[in-house]
Each structure stands twice: as C-alpha cells, then as structure tokens.
Coordinates of all heavy atoms in Angstrom, one line a residue:
N1 N -3.3 -53.9 148.1 CA -4.5 -54.7 148.4 C -5.5 -54.0 149.3 O -6.7 -54.1 149.2 CB -4.1 -56.1 149.0 CG -3.5 -57.0 148.0 OD1 -3.7 -56.8 146.8 ND2 -2.7 -57.9 148.5
A2 N -4.9 -53.2 150.3 CA -5.6 -52.5 151.3 C -6.5 -51.4 150.6 O -7.6 -51.1 151.1 CB -4.8 -51.9 152.3
V3 N -6.0 -50.8 149.5 CA -6.8 -49.7 148.9 C -7.5 -50.1 147.7 O -8.4 -49.3 147.2 CB -5.8 -48.5 148.6 CG1 -5.0 -48.0 149.8 CG2 -4.8 -48.9 147.4
L4 N -7.4 -51.3 147.2 CA -8.2 -51.7 146.0 C -9.6 -51.6 146.3 O -10.2 -51.8 147.3 CB -7.8 -53.2 145.7 CG -6.4 -53.4 145.0 CD1 -6.2 -54.9 144.7 CD2 -6.3 -52.6 143.7
G5 N -10.3 -51.2 145.2 CA -11.8 -51.1 145.2 C -12.2 -49.7 145.1 O -11.4 -48.8 144.8
S6 N -13.5 -49.4 145.3 CA -14.1 -48.1 145.2 C -14.3 -47.5 146.6 O -14.8 -48.1 147.5 CB -15.3 -48.1 144.4 OG -15.1 -48.5 143.0
W7 N -14.0 -46.2 146.7 CA -14.2 -45.4 147.9 C -15.0 -44.1 147.6 O -14.8 -43.5 146.6 CB -12.8 -45.1 148.5 CG -11.9 -46.2 148.7 CD1 -11.1 -46.8 147.7 CD2 -11.7 -46.9 149.9 NE1 -10.4 -47.8 148.3 CE2 -10.8 -47.9 149.6 CE3 -12.2 -46.8 151.2 CZ2 -10.3 -48.8 150.6 CZ3 -11.8 -47.7 152.2 CH2 -10.8 -48.7 151.9
K8 N -15.8 -43.7 148.5 CA -16.6 -42.5 148.3 C -16.3 -41.5 149.5 O -16.2 -41.9 150.6 CB -18.1 -42.8 148.3 CG -18.5 -43.6 147.1 CD -20.1 -43.7 147.0 CE -20.5 -44.3 145.8 NZ -22.0 -44.4 145.7
A9 N -16.2 -40.3 149.1 CA -16.1 -39.2 150.1 C -17.0 -38.0 149.8 O -17.1 -37.6 148.6 CB -14.7 -38.7 150.2
S10 N -17.8 -37.6 150.8 CA -18.7 -36.4 150.6 C -18.0 -35.2 151.1 O -17.6 -35.2 152.3 CB -20.0 -36.7 151.4 OG -20.9 -35.6 151.2
M11 N -17.8 -34.2 150.2 CA -17.0 -33.0 150.6 C -17.9 -31.8 150.4 O -18.5 -31.6 149.4 CB -15.8 -33.0 149.7 CG -14.8 -34.0 150.1 SD -13.4 -34.1 148.9 CE -14.2 -34.7 147.4
N12 N -17.8 -30.9 151.4 CA -18.6 -29.6 151.4 C -17.6 -28.6 150.7 O -16.7 -28.1 151.3 CB -18.9 -29.2 152.8 CG -19.8 -27.9 152.7 OD1 -20.2 -27.4 151.7 ND2 -20.1 -27.4 153.9
L13 N -18.0 -28.2 149.5 CA -17.2 -27.3 148.7 C -17.7 -25.8 148.8 O -17.4 -25.0 147.9 CB -17.0 -27.7 147.3 CG -16.3 -29.1 147.1 CD1 -16.2 -29.5 145.7 CD2 -14.9 -29.0 147.7
A14 N -18.6 -25.5 149.7 CA -19.3 -24.2 149.8 C -18.2 -23.2 150.0 O -18.4 -22.1 149.3 CB -20.3 -24.2 151.0
E15 N -17.2 -23.4 150.8 CA -16.2 -22.3 151.0 C -15.5 -21.9 149.7 O -15.3 -20.7 149.4 CB -15.2 -22.8 152.0 CG -14.1 -21.8 152.2 CD -13.0 -22.4 153.2 OE1 -13.2 -23.4 153.8 OE2 -11.9 -21.7 153.4
Y16 N -15.2 -22.9 148.8 CA -14.6 -22.6 147.6 C -15.5 -22.0 146.6 O -15.1 -21.1 145.8 CB -14.0 -23.9 147.0 CG -13.0 -24.5 148.0 CD1 -13.3 -25.5 148.9 CD2 -11.7 -24.0 148.1 CE1 -12.4 -26.0 149.8 CE2 -10.8 -24.5 149.0 CZ -11.1 -25.5 149.8 OH -10.3 -26.0 150.7
L17 N -16.8 -22.4 146.6 CA -17.8 -21.7 145.8 C -17.9 -20.2 146.2 O -17.9 -19.3 145.3 CB -19.2 -22.4 145.9 CG -20.3 -21.8 145.2 CD1 -20.1 -21.7 143.7 CD2 -21.6 -22.5 145.4
N18 N -18.0 -20.0 147.5 CA -18.1 -18.6 148.0 C -16.9 -17.8 147.6 O -17.0 -16.6 147.2 CB -18.3 -18.6 149.5 CG -19.7 -19.1 149.9 OD1 -20.6 -19.1 149.2 ND2 -19.8 -19.7 151.1
Q19 N -15.7 -18.4 147.7 CA -14.5 -17.7 147.3 C -14.5 -17.3 145.8 O -14.1 -16.2 145.5 CB -13.3 -18.5 147.7 CG -13.0 -18.7 149.2 CD -11.8 -19.6 149.5 OE1 -11.2 -20.2 148.6 NE2 -11.5 -19.7 150.7
G20 N -14.9 -18.3 145.1 CA -15.0 -18.0 143.6 C -15.9 -16.9 143.2 O -15.6 -16.1 142.4
I21 N -17.1 -16.8 143.9 CA -18.0 -15.8 143.7 C -17.4 -14.4 144.1 O -17.5 -13.4 143.4 CB -19.4 -16.0 144.4 CG1 -20.0 -17.3 143.9 CG2 -20.3 -14.8 144.3 CD1 -21.3 -17.7 144.7
A22 N -16.8 -14.4 145.2 CA -16.2 -13.2 145.8 C -15.1 -12.7 144.9 O -14.9 -11.4 144.7 CB -15.6 -13.4 147.2
Q23 N -14.3 -13.6 144.3 CA -13.2 -13.1 143.4 C -13.7 -12.5 142.2 O -13.1 -11.6 141.6 CB -12.3 -14.3 143.1 CG -11.5 -14.8 144.3 CD -10.8 -16.1 144.0 OE1 -10.8 -16.7 142.9 NE2 -10.0 -16.6 145.0
E24 N -14.9 -13.0 141.7 CA -15.4 -12.4 140.4 C -16.3 -11.2 140.6 O -16.3 -10.3 139.8 CB -16.2 -13.5 139.7 CG -15.3 -14.6 139.1 CD -16.1 -15.4 138.1 OE1 -17.2 -15.0 137.6 OE2 -15.6 -16.5 137.7
D25 N -17.0 -11.2 141.8 CA -18.0 -10.1 142.0 C -18.2 -10.0 143.5 O -19.0 -10.7 144.1 CB -19.3 -10.4 141.3 CG -20.2 -9.2 141.3 OD1 -20.1 -8.4 142.2 OD2 -21.1 -9.1 140.4
A26 N -17.5 -9.1 144.2 CA -17.5 -8.9 145.6 C -18.9 -8.5 146.0 O -19.4 -9.0 147.1 CB -16.5 -7.8 146.1
M27 N -19.6 -7.7 145.2 CA -21.0 -7.3 145.6 C -21.9 -8.6 145.6 O -22.7 -8.7 146.5 CB -21.5 -6.2 144.7 CG -22.9 -5.8 145.0 SD -23.5 -4.5 143.9 CE -25.2 -4.2 144.5
A28 N -21.8 -9.4 144.6 CA -22.7 -10.5 144.4 C -22.4 -11.5 145.6 O -23.4 -12.1 146.1 CB -22.4 -11.2 143.1
A29 N -21.2 -11.5 146.1 CA -20.8 -12.5 147.1 C -21.6 -12.1 148.4 O -21.9 -13.0 149.3 CB -19.3 -12.4 147.4
E30 N -22.0 -10.9 148.6 CA -22.7 -10.5 149.8 C -24.1 -11.0 149.7 O -24.8 -11.2 150.8 CB -22.8 -9.0 149.9 CG -21.4 -8.3 150.0 CD -21.5 -6.8 150.1 OE1 -22.7 -6.3 150.1 OE2 -20.5 -6.1 150.0
Y31 N -24.6 -11.4 148.6 CA -26.0 -11.9 148.4 C -26.1 -13.4 148.2 O -27.1 -14.0 148.5 CB -26.6 -11.2 147.2 CG -26.8 -9.7 147.3 CD1 -25.8 -8.9 146.9 CD2 -28.0 -9.2 147.7 CE1 -26.0 -7.5 147.0 CE2 -28.2 -7.8 147.7 CZ -27.2 -7.0 147.4 OH -27.3 -5.6 147.4
L32 N -25.0 -14.0 147.6 CA -25.1 -15.4 147.2 C -24.3 -16.4 148.0 O -24.0 -17.4 147.5 CB -24.7 -15.4 145.7 CG -25.4 -14.5 144.8 CD1 -24.9 -14.6 143.3 CD2 -26.9 -14.7 144.8
S33 N -23.9 -16.0 149.2 CA -23.1 -16.9 150.0 C -24.0 -18.1 150.4 O -25.2 -18.0 150.7 CB -22.7 -16.2 151.3 OG -22.0 -17.1 152.1
V34 N -23.3 -19.3 150.4 CA -24.0 -20.6 150.7 C -23.2 -21.3 151.9 O -22.0 -21.0 152.0 CB -24.1 -21.5 149.5 CG1 -25.0 -20.9 148.5 CG2 -22.8 -21.9 149.0
D35 N -23.9 -22.1 152.7 CA -23.3 -22.8 153.7 C -22.9 -24.2 153.4 O -22.0 -24.8 154.0 CB -24.3 -22.9 155.0 CG -24.5 -21.5 155.5 OD1 -23.6 -20.7 155.6 OD2 -25.7 -21.2 156.0
S36 N -23.6 -24.8 152.3 CA -23.3 -26.2 152.0 C -23.4 -26.3 150.5 O -24.2 -25.8 149.8 CB -24.2 -27.1 152.7 OG -25.6 -26.9 152.3
F37 N -22.4 -27.1 150.0 CA -22.4 -27.5 148.6 C -21.7 -28.9 148.5 O -20.5 -29.0 148.3 CB -21.8 -26.5 147.6 CG -22.0 -26.8 146.2 CD1 -23.2 -26.5 145.6 CD2 -20.9 -27.4 145.4 CE1 -23.4 -26.8 144.2 CE2 -21.1 -27.7 144.1 CZ -22.3 -27.4 143.5
Y38 N -22.4 -30.0 148.9 CA -21.8 -31.3 149.0 C -21.8 -32.1 147.7 O -22.8 -32.2 147.1 CB -22.6 -32.1 150.1 CG -22.3 -31.7 151.5 CD1 -23.1 -30.7 152.2 CD2 -21.2 -32.2 152.2 CE1 -22.8 -30.3 153.5 CE2 -20.9 -31.8 153.5 CZ -21.7 -30.9 154.1 OH -21.4 -30.5 155.4
L39 N -20.6 -32.5 147.4 CA -20.4 -33.4 146.2 C -19.7 -34.7 146.7 O -18.9 -34.7 147.6 CB -19.5 -32.6 145.2 CG -20.1 -31.4 144.6 CD1 -19.1 -30.8 143.6 CD2 -21.4 -31.6 143.9
T40 N -20.1 -35.8 146.1 CA -19.5 -37.1 146.4 C -18.5 -37.5 145.3 O -18.8 -37.6 144.2 CB -20.6 -38.1 146.6 OG1 -21.5 -37.8 147.6 CG2 -19.9 -39.5 146.9
M41 N -17.2 -37.7 145.8 CA -16.2 -38.2 144.9 C -16.1 -39.6 145.0 O -16.1 -40.2 146.2 CB -14.9 -37.5 145.3 CG -13.7 -38.0 144.4 SD -12.1 -37.3 144.9 CE -12.3 -35.7 144.2
V42 N -15.9 -40.3 143.9 CA -15.8 -41.8 143.9 C -14.3 -42.1 143.4 O -14.0 -41.7 142.3 CB -16.8 -42.5 143.0 CG1 -16.6 -44.0 143.1 CG2 -18.2 -42.1 143.4
L43 N -13.6 -42.7 144.2 CA -12.2 -43.0 143.9 C -12.0 -44.5 143.8 O -12.3 -45.2 144.8 CB -11.3 -42.4 145.0 CG -9.8 -42.7 145.0 CD1 -9.1 -42.1 143.8 CD2 -9.2 -42.1 146.3
T44 N -11.6 -45.0 142.7 CA -11.5 -46.4 142.5 C -10.1 -46.9 142.1 O -9.5 -46.3 141.1 CB -12.5 -46.9 141.3 OG1 -13.8 -46.5 141.7 CG2 -12.3 -48.4 141.1
F45 N -9.5 -47.8 142.9 CA -8.2 -48.4 142.6 C -8.3 -49.8 142.1 O -9.1 -50.6 142.6 CB -7.3 -48.4 143.9 CG -7.1 -47.0 144.5 CD1 -7.7 -46.7 145.7 CD2 -6.4 -46.0 143.8 CE1 -7.6 -45.4 146.2 CE2 -6.2 -44.8 144.4 CZ -6.8 -44.5 145.6
K46 N -7.6 -50.0 141.0 CA -7.8 -51.3 140.2 C -6.6 -52.2 140.3 O -5.5 -51.8 140.6 CB -8.1 -51.1 138.8 CG -9.4 -50.2 138.6 CD -9.6 -49.9 137.1 CE -10.8 -48.9 136.9 NZ -11.1 -48.6 135.5
E47 N -6.7 -53.5 140.1 CA -5.7 -54.5 140.2 C -4.5 -54.2 139.2 O -3.4 -54.5 139.5 CB -6.2 -55.9 139.8 CG -7.1 -56.5 140.9 CD -6.3 -57.2 142.0 OE1 -5.0 -57.1 141.9 OE2 -6.9 -57.7 142.9
D48 N -4.8 -53.5 138.1 CA -3.8 -53.2 137.1 C -3.0 -51.9 137.4 O -2.3 -51.4 136.6 CB -4.4 -53.1 135.7 CG -5.4 -52.0 135.6 OD1 -5.6 -51.3 136.6 OD2 -5.9 -51.8 134.4

C-alpha cells in the first residue's frame, strides 16, 4: 500500500552518455562531453 501509485524521478545520465561516446570514439569524446542529460522516469505500482 505504501508504494502503490505513480512515482517520478529525474536522473542525470550525462555521465553514461559521455562514457558511451568515449567507448565508441575517444577523439569525439573530447569535443562532445556534456554536463547534464536529465530524463524523468515514471514508476507505477498497481493494485494487481
């Protein structure tokens, strides 16, 4: 009952984006690094 309903979390995934760029192209990573990439996840728990 305590967790039922919808919950939202804003997460900064910039670190993972930067890591992905670096793994594919180290040179590109030097140019395309970002400080923020915020996405909001919606987590919903239902009675069933």
Side-chain angles (χ1 to χ4, degrees):
N1 291 336
V3 301
L4 286 178
S6 293
W7 306 82
K8 290 186 176 183
S10 180
M11 293 173 288
N12 185 4
L13 299 178
E15 178 181 351
Y16 300 98
L17 176 61
N18 291 334
Q19 288 177 359
I21 295 173
Q23 289 172 2
E24 288 198 13
D25 190 333
M27 180 178 176
E30 298 178 8
Y31 297 84
L32 305 180
S33 178
V34 298
D35 295 323
S36 64
F37 190 77
Y38 283 94
L39 297 177
T40 299
M41 177 184 286
V42 182
L43 176 60
T44 302
F45 300 111
K46 303 177 183 179
E47 287 278 3
D48 63 358

